[in-house]
Amino acid sequence: MYSRSDEAWEQLTDAGLKFLFERAQLHKVTTYTEMNSVLARRTGLPSFNFEQADERAAMGYLLGLIVGRDFPKSGLMISALVHYLGANDAGPGFYTLAQQLGLLPKGSSATARLEFWIGQVNSLHQLHSSPGR
C-alpha cells in the first residue's frame, strides 16, 4: 500500500499510536507536519512528502490504521489529535472515518463536525490523563 511494506505500516502504526498517546497525556494536539517528523525520527523510515497527493493520502491511511488499532479499546478516534498546521480542526478524512464508524451522521453541519471533534479531543485528554492508563 502506498509503496510501503506491511512491516513499515506496522512500525508506523506502533510509533504513531505511541506518539498520540503521549500527546493525549500532555493534553496537547499535534500537526500532520510534526507527526511526520516524529515518525521518521522514531522509525528511521522515510517521511511522507505532503507535496504529493498520494503521500498525503498515505498519511490519512496511516491515521486510519492507528484509529483501527485503538478504537476497539477506547471507543474514541485518537486521530482527532492531528490537525493541519495553522488550522484548528481535523482533516476531512477524520470526519469521513467518523461517519463510517457511526459516530457522526452523514451530512452533519460544520458546527456539528466541530463539536464532535472537540468532544473527541477532550475525551482523549481525559482518558489518557486517568491514573493507571
Side-chain angles (χ1 to χ4, degrees):
M1 223 32 198
Y2 297 105
S3 303
R4 288 172 175 83
S5 68
D6 289 344
E7 181 182 299
W9 285 118
E10 188 69 26
Q11 284 181 278
L12 290 165
T13 301
D14 290 344
L17 191 55
K18 183 173 190 253
F19 175 63
L20 292 178
F21 284 166
E22 292 165 3
R23 299 310 292 169
Q25 289 168 344
L26 295 170
H27 288 236
K28 303 271 187 188
V29 294
T30 189
T31 63
Y32 288 95
T33 302
E34 180 183 33
M35 184 158 181
N36 193 26
S37 296
V38 168
L39 290 173
R41 188 172 58 250
R42 289 186 180 184
T43 65
L45 295 169
S47 62
F48 295 93
N49 179 356
F50 293 148
E51 292 181 14
Q52 297 179 8
D54 64 330
E55 289 285 290
R56 291 190 303 272
M59 176 61 87
Y61 175 75
L62 173 61
L63 290 172
L65 291 175
I66 291 169
V67 168
R69 170 107 36 101
D70 184 59
F71 183 78
K73 294 177 230 159
S74 70
L76 298 167
M77 294 180 64
I78 191 109
S79 64
L81 300 178
V82 185
H83 61 88
Y84 292 115
L85 189 62
N88 196 18
D89 195 2
F94 171 79
Y95 297 110
T96 300
L97 183 55
Q99 290 169 352
Q100 291 170 353
L101 293 171
L103 301 174
L104 185 69
K106 289 189 189 311
S108 294
S109 68
T111 300
R113 289 192 308 267
L114 187 60
E115 288 173 354
F116 172 75
W117 173 67
I118 291 168
Q120 290 287 299
V121 170
N122 289 337
S123 295
L124 286 158
H125 287 167
Q126 183 178 13
L127 174 67
H128 290 279
S129 65
S130 300
R133 178 81 178 147

